[in-house]
Amino acid sequence: MYFFPGSLHNDGAGHFSDITRSASVSNPLWGASAAFFDYDRDGWLDIVLVNYLDYDPSRPCTNGSGQRDYCGPAVFGRTATKLFHNHGRGPTVRSGLKT
């Protein structure tokens, strides 16, 4: 099972709230890695999210005997790395970055 990645805000009192939509950092793909860095050196941290593949849980896979089996990664399409570029007013998404 997998889940959609999200963004949580720590209020400093031990509580977290989901700010994925309000921060415009939704990513419905299978994210494999993420990093924060200042992409354009403007003082605002940006997020780069590396996606694994375009997973479809409804896709049936079978082995050579026709029995249900696990799908290998080659069965699914590729996805793009996403850059969430923070301008200080909320991020904009740039996808299709060269890796």
Side-chain angles (χ1 to χ4, degrees):
M1 176 175 234
Y2 73 103
F3 62 94
F4 295 131
S7 296
L8 300 176
H9 178 263
N10 182 348
D11 69 3
H15 300 95
F16 292 86
S17 56
D18 186 349
I19 61 164
T20 305
R21 288 188 185 190
S22 63
S24 301
V25 290
S26 179
N27 181 56
L29 301 171
W30 186 339
S33 182
F36 294 87
F37 72 112
D38 191 357
Y39 169 74
D40 56 356
R41 299 181 184 197
D42 63 355
W44 296 98
L45 285 178
D46 308 299
I47 303 170
V48 65
L49 183 59
V50 179
N51 292 303
Y52 178 46
L53 47 79
D54 191 9
Y55 178 66
D56 180 1
S58 68
R59 182 181 178 112
C61 289
T62 57
N63 62 18
S65 302
Q67 297 173 325
R68 187 175 171 101
D69 200 358
Y70 293 100
C71 298
V75 172
F76 301 104
R78 293 187 267 175
T79 60
T81 297
K82 282 188 172 180
L83 172 66
F84 295 93
H85 189 189
N86 185 355
H87 298 282
R89 307 175 298 282
T92 57
V93 180
R94 293 185 182 187
S95 61
L97 298 177
K98 292 182 180 179
T99 55

